[in-house]
Amino acid sequence: MLPLLAVAWRAEDWGGLRASDWGALRFTLWQAALSAALSVALAVPVARALARRAFPGRGAVVLLLGAPFILPTIVAVLGLVAVFGRSGWLGALGVEADIYGAHGVILAHVFFNMPLAVRLLLQGWSAIPGERLRLAASLGFRARDTFRLLEWPMLRAVAPGVFLVIFLICTTSFAVALALGGGPRSTTVELAIYEAFRFDFDLGRAALLAALQLAIGVAAAILTLRVALPSGFGAGLDRTVPRWDSGGWLRWQDAGAVALALLFLLAPMLAVLAEGALYLHALPASVWWAALRSLLIALVAAVLTAALALPMALAVARGRAWVEVVGTLAVTASPLVLGVGLYVLILPLANPVRLALPVTAAVNVLLSVPSALRALVPAVRDLDAGYGRLSASLGLRGWTWLRLVALPRLRRPLGYAMGLAAALAAGDLGVIALFARPGDATLPLALYQLMGSYRMGEAKAAALILVALSLGLFWLFERGGRARA
């Protein structure tokens, strides 16, 4: 709450906005709406194919669709440049391509959010009762009848919520706009905050833009909550509904949809990681130091997220619902908004630039708390219901209760929450780009600087290390949580 209140206190009045800032607001809303619409539209045939097909490797495909959640944004941007840029794979085939500008921002947002839309729509398809499908089969429904009477009503209920979730994500995207956008025609509000802070050092205008960004996030979040989302949101993705209406050419249509989605997701990753391995030996020492800073930030963020989210989850499970509301407020704020707020708070006490690394860790803790609460609160409620009375009768309290009762049974959700926090903190390019001095670069910032210097081979090698760091930390924490759980 304090960073958000600091932003509101330091912001100028609305007259402080320039014409370019209003242009950034229009572009932010326009690109977010178009990115969300394209992501949902392209996800429909992929989700439909996965819902009505059972094939070897289907589980791996669904798992792969979750990879963009923990993939560092700047790595994906580098991969898209390697495929769709002028010197990329399409350029080598003689296709005129320019990824920089509004179309590049939208392409990157579709890359990140189309898999999310597939997984959410797949929830909706999996929720269609099998009895209705069997009834439709007994009545001789064809594929178009099934779509009109069963699938289309489901899409009308689910798709608006998916659209709004992706719209909210796209309004707070910073690294994509920084790397592929810019200029008067493709600047987002996030990028305008960065420019006002970093280049103009106009703290009042930066805070005003941050308040505007926060208002967009709150409005989108309220709309998202008011629109129905699929039941069981975020769980149970691997149930295939038996179908009778998917033979003939529909088989090829489904295979094509899944194959194109995989090609779209895997090609940028392969372009970066395969070539990056060839340049590992050429990386300067500064990149390895940057990797060490990212590792430390990730570990600190993981530990602090667990230390903050666990007592909050206990409070929520014991009836203090307002704690969950406060914990999820960060969903509406971007890293830059929180960074500006922390800068305003710290400035009277110390030089915030000297605290770039601690501030980066702190902001990532705040951003990780909502997802940690989503993982921990249901598990803590089950723990309280199952062992609460027994623990009270045995007099187990405090550290003894935590060590003997809570931690052994919360290890799995806690490991997942810590792994997610570590992966996101390792790949963060938001706050560190705002605060960092030349000697404080983390690995994502070092990667961005290599890209800006057109040292693409070394940038791909840095991307390879960043992917290994993020995915490795997530795997270690998540695997540790499952051990003996």
Side-chain angles (χ1 to χ4, degrees):
M1 289 292 293
L2 285 177
L4 302 183
L5 292 174
V7 166
W9 170 73
R10 191 64 178 80
E12 298 176 350
D13 59 39
W14 293 110
L17 291 177
R18 303 173 181 173
S20 60
D21 298 330
W22 292 110
L25 173 62
R26 287 192 295 272
F27 177 74
T28 298
L29 299 177
W30 172 77
Q31 63 82 21
L34 185 56
S35 299
L38 288 173
S39 298
V40 174
L42 294 174
V44 168
V46 184
R48 193 186 192 199
L50 291 172
R52 61 186 182 185
R53 300 289 171 194
F55 54 88
R58 178 182 177 278
V61 172
V62 175
L63 183 65
L64 180 65
L65 292 172
F69 295 118
I70 54 176
L71 185 70
T73 306
I74 193 65
V75 174
V77 168
L78 181 60
L80 291 171
V81 171
V83 174
F84 297 99
R86 285 181 179 173
S87 302
W89 290 2
L90 289 185
L93 295 174
V95 178
E96 290 287 337
D98 183 9
I99 196 173
Y100 296 99
H103 51 286
V105 173
I106 293 168
L107 176 69
H109 284 161
V110 172
F111 175 85
F112 278 106
N113 294 301
M114 189 267 284
L116 171 64
V118 170
R119 295 190 65 148
L120 295 179
L121 292 175
L122 189 55
Q123 287 277 350
W125 252 289
S126 300
I128 296 176
E131 292 77 8
R132 294 192 181 187
L133 291 169
R134 284 195 290 271
L135 178 61
S138 67
L139 293 174
F141 277 22
R142 290 174 293 181
R144 63 183 179 185
D145 300 322
T146 306
F147 180 79
R148 181 169 59 88
L149 297 174
L150 293 178
E151 295 173 329
W152 177 245
M154 179 276 296
L155 284 174
R156 281 194 309 179
V158 173
V162 178
F163 173 88
L164 286 170
V165 168
I166 296 174
F167 177 84
L168 175 60
I169 294 172
C170 293
T171 57
T172 58
S173 170
F174 169 67
V176 167
L178 178 67
L180 300 177
R185 301 183 62 181
S186 53
T187 294
T188 62
V189 174
E190 288 279 289
L191 198 53
I193 295 171
Y194 172 75
E195 292 172 350
F197 189 94
R198 192 76 182 178
F199 300 139
D200 302 335
F201 198 65
D202 188 343
L203 192 55
R205 181 166 154 260
L208 178 58
L209 287 165
L212 182 62
Q213 176 66 61
L214 184 61
I216 296 171
V218 170
I222 291 173
L223 283 174
T224 303
L225 292 175
R226 292 180 65 86
V227 174
L229 287 171
S231 59
F233 197 74
L237 287 168
D238 212 17
R239 182 167 65 89
T240 306
V241 180
R243 300 293 293 266
W244 76 99
D245 56 344
S246 54
W249 67 273
L250 291 175
R251 188 185 306 276
W252 295 104
Q253 175 186 305
D254 290 347
V258 174
L260 287 175
L262 289 177
L263 181 65
F264 180 54
L265 292 176
L266 291 178
M269 295 301 94
L270 293 176
V272 170
L273 303 182
E275 191 174 346
L278 303 176
Y279 287 88
L280 282 173
H281 68 281
L283 283 176
S286 59
V287 173
W288 295 104
W289 281 109
L292 179 60
R293 293 187 198 99
S294 290
L295 174 62
L296 293 175
I297 288 174
L299 294 175
V300 170
V303 172
L304 292 182
T305 297
L308 185 61
L310 185 55
M312 292 178 73
L314 289 169
V316 173
R318 291 167 183 172
R320 297 183 180 91
W322 62 270
V323 175
E324 188 170 16
V325 175
V326 172
T328 52
L329 275 178
V331 171
T332 62
S334 68
L336 288 195
V337 172
L338 293 172
V340 170
L342 286 174
Y343 188 96
V344 172
L345 289 174
I346 296 172
L347 188 58
L349 306 173
N351 183 0
V353 176
R354 294 180 180 274
L355 302 173
L357 300 182
V359 168
T360 301
V363 168
N364 279 282
V365 170
L366 294 176
L367 294 173
S368 299
V369 165
S371 57
L373 287 178
R374 288 183 67 88
L376 284 170
V377 167
V380 171
R381 282 181 174 144
D382 291 342
L383 176 70
D384 212 31
Y387 296 90
R389 291 184 179 178
L390 179 61
S391 300
S393 66
L394 294 175
L396 295 175
R397 294 185 181 86
W399 170 248
T400 305
W401 175 83
L402 189 68
R403 182 171 59 86
L404 297 179
V405 180
L407 288 180
R409 288 159 186 82
L410 297 177
R411 184 181 293 145
R412 184 186 290 264
L414 203 56
Y416 171 79
M418 293 178 72
L420 194 58
L424 295 178
D428 178 56
L429 182 61
V431 181
I432 195 67
L434 200 65
F435 282 77
R437 297 177 299 178
D440 287 340
T442 58
L443 189 53
L445 184 57
L447 168 57
Y448 173 70
Q449 290 168 345
L450 289 171
M451 289 176 63
S453 305
Y454 299 101
R455 297 160 65 181
M456 302 307 284
E458 293 166 69
K460 290 174 183 176
L464 176 61
I465 298 172
L466 184 54
V467 169
L469 184 63
S470 298
L471 299 187
L473 285 170
F474 179 80
W475 181 83
L476 282 175
F477 279 111
E478 204 271 341
R479 181 73 178 174
R482 281 187 290 159
R484 292 185 298 171

